[in-house]
Amino acid sequence: MKSIKELKEERSVLHEKMHEIVQTAEQRSDTAFTAEEQAQYNEYRTQYDVLSERIARLEADEQRAAELARPVSTALGKGADTEETRAEKRNEELRAAFLDVLSGRKTRNDLTQEVRDGLFLGASNNQIVVPKLVMSKVTMALKSTGTFLNAVDFVITQTSDSYVLPTYDATGDELVRVKEGSKTSDDSSNKFGGTEIKAYDYNTKIQKIHVNLLKTSGVDVEAVVVEAIAQCIRRGLNKLATISGTGTDDITALLSSAPTGVTTASKDAVTYDELVDMVASVDGAYADSWIMSRNTLLNIAKIKTTDGSPIFLKDVNTGAITHILGHPVVINNDMPQIGTAEAKVIAFGDPKAYHLRMVDGVRMTVFYEKYADENMIGIMGHILADGKLNDAGTHPIKVLALASA
């Protein structure tokens, strides 16, 4: 009797033969199979399905045999098969299957039905759910890389349900002296409110990864995939949350919702006094950080005293300007540059007032054939997210806008 490994090798050969027939047809203008190709393809497919069924039976038989051989003490005492250990085992199985499928070591038909159901969406071979163990590393990469996403109130939720962030404008709060026999008047200036956070669909751009990279021994396939997914999501969310989100069935960009605190006298420069006025425009309770691009920070670094000395000094440890007027600088290169009329080039206030939400669980579409002529596969991520400035009317973040001319 042939081993499972030998049967899988036979099946792999059949897969290559079917692949060659498909590629030959795709190179023609009509892309349709000839009668001979169709007959040959059907024959290979039948053999392939027979082998897949036989492999599945043998694997199931091996699994049952292993279960029966498990010591009784394991089930009853130390190392018992608890719900927690089963969940850990399943998560690890999904992670291993995810990496095997991406690297081409296995196909959908090589996996057990349970793993297929957890990894693939429906009948599609290209729609894959990123497993929990891999997703946790994507989340860590999102939060630890890129100072803007790390600075805002960025949360990962388990469900896609909408929720409301409570707001309260307490600027009119004060104690009222109550005299005997008098009444305390209602204070209509203090208002409770809320900001609704939803979950909108977004796709990343397709990231191409060379097939040989995924198949090379010694290459950390998981690290490659995690970085590819995280980089796309990070850049996309950063831009949407900063400037491009429209707010209509979409993330609401910070720059479109934060009011203007200061307008400069020139579109080509920001002065020291304008920076001081910017700090003064924000309530002291929210005077926390600056948000600007690296180029804007470099322009501000050129501001000098009357004797030609720089006003803002570099940090002795980093060699860069990390604070302006005592407040830390958050670099966000999606912020507009100095020189564009009316551009909102700087934000100041409490970055945590901007709430950015992403639903846990990234879906992926893997393009196996689209870039086959380049010997690459394509990866496109799908996420659910929303973001808004949570402002009760106290304006926790304001922007500095350049002059119109």
Side-chain angles (χ1 to χ4, degrees), residues 17-83:
K17 289 180 178 179
M18 288 189 293
H19 180 71
E20 288 175 7
I21 294 174
V22 171
Q23 291 302 306
T24 299
E26 287 293 325
Q27 291 172 9
R28 296 195 296 266
S29 59
D30 61 356
T31 71
F33 284 168
T34 64
E36 182 180 355
E37 287 172 338
Q38 186 66 64
Q40 190 67 69
Y41 184 90
N42 291 342
E43 181 182 347
Y44 290 149
R45 182 57 188 266
T46 300
Q47 295 176 31
Y48 186 98
D49 291 341
V50 169
L51 283 174
S52 295
E53 185 178 350
R54 185 177 173 188
I55 291 169
R57 285 200 308 268
L58 290 172
E59 287 180 333
D61 184 67
E62 280 191 354
Q63 186 174 357
R64 286 192 297 270
E67 286 293 322
L68 290 172
R70 186 163 58 93
V72 175
S73 58
T74 301
L76 299 178
K78 186 177 179 180
D81 187 18
T82 65
E83 183 176 344

Side-chain angles (χ1 to χ4, degrees), residues 2 25 31-32 56 74 88 96 99 113 132 154 187 224 243 248-249 272 281 327 344 347 354 356 359 371 380 389:
K2 292 183 178 180
T31 71
T74 301
E88 290 177 356
L99 300 176
Q113 187 62 51
K132 184 176 182 179
F154 183 27
D187 186 356
V224 172
I243 194 170
T248 303
D249 294 330
Y272 177 83
S281 73
H327 300 284
K344 299 173 181 178
Y354 189 88
L356 183 61
V359 178
Y371 305 105
M380 180 171 69
L389 178 62

Side-chain angles (χ1 to χ4, degrees), residues 44-311:
Y44 290 149
R45 182 57 188 266
T46 300
Q47 295 176 31
Y48 186 98
D49 291 341
V50 169
L51 283 174
S52 295
E53 185 178 350
R54 185 177 173 188
I55 291 169
R57 285 200 308 268
L58 290 172
E59 287 180 333
D61 184 67
E62 280 191 354
Q63 186 174 357
R64 286 192 297 270
E67 286 293 322
L68 290 172
R70 186 163 58 93
V72 175
S73 58
T74 301
L76 299 178
K78 186 177 179 180
D81 187 18
T82 65
E83 183 176 344
E84 183 178 350
T85 58
R86 288 195 297 272
E88 290 177 356
K89 180 180 178 182
R90 174 169 169 75
N91 286 334
E92 185 54 48
E93 285 177 346
L94 288 173
R95 172 182 171 274
F98 172 76
L99 300 176
D100 283 341
V101 169
L102 277 185
S103 62
R105 292 190 293 268
K106 290 185 179 180
T107 67
R108 179 189 182 117
N109 290 325
D110 291 324
L111 309 175
T112 64
Q113 187 62 51
E114 184 181 8
V115 173
R116 286 184 218 170
D117 292 343
L119 193 61
F120 291 93
L121 289 176
S124 172
N125 290 324
N126 297 335
Q127 291 281 318
I128 298 176
V129 178
V130 178
K132 184 176 182 179
L133 291 181
V134 179
M135 184 59 203
S136 64
K137 295 185 179 182
V138 173
T139 302
M140 288 176 61
L142 283 174
K143 289 191 171 184
S144 62
T145 309
T147 56
F148 180 65
L149 291 189
N150 191 49
V152 302
D153 183 26
F154 183 27
V155 300
I156 308 293
T157 62
Q158 296 301 310
T159 71
S160 60
D161 296 339
S162 298
Y163 56 89
V164 175
L165 297 174
T167 60
Y168 176 59
D169 182 354
T171 54
D173 274 353
E174 60 182 18
L175 292 176
V176 179
R177 171 75 170 88
V178 180
K179 296 181 180 179
E180 186 176 351
S182 65
K183 294 182 179 181
T184 301
S185 61
D186 294 335
D187 186 356
S188 59
S189 64
N190 297 333
K191 299 177 181 178
F192 285 95
T195 301
E196 186 178 15
I197 303 297
K198 298 183 179 180
Y200 302 111
D201 283 290
Y202 296 95
N203 292 340
T204 69
K205 292 184 177 179
I206 299 175
Q207 295 288 300
K208 295 191 289 186
I209 302 177
H210 205 284
V211 171
N212 289 342
L213 178 63
L214 298 176
K215 291 184 176 181
T216 302
S217 60
V219 173
D220 189 342
V221 175
E222 185 173 17
V224 172
V225 174
V226 165
E227 180 54 29
I229 298 172
Q231 186 177 137
C232 284
I233 296 174
R234 180 169 62 239
R235 290 180 176 177
L237 285 178
N238 199 91
K239 187 172 184 178
L240 284 163
T242 303
I243 194 170
S244 65
T246 64
T248 303
D249 294 330
D250 191 7
I251 287 173
T252 303
L254 170 64
L255 296 186
S256 65
S257 51
T260 299
V262 170
T263 300
T264 64
S266 168
K267 72 176 182 63
D268 297 313
V270 176
T271 68
Y272 177 83
D273 286 350
E274 288 164 347
L275 292 172
V276 174
D277 290 342
M278 189 66 197
V279 173
S281 73
V282 175
D283 188 292
Y286 307 111
D288 185 81
S289 303
W290 302 91
I291 303 171
M292 65 186 72
S293 71
R294 180 174 177 272
N295 285 341
T296 296
L297 179 59
L298 292 176
N299 272 276
I300 290 174
K302 297 177 182 178
I303 299 176
K304 296 180 174 61
T305 62
T306 53
D307 64 1
S309 300
I311 291 180

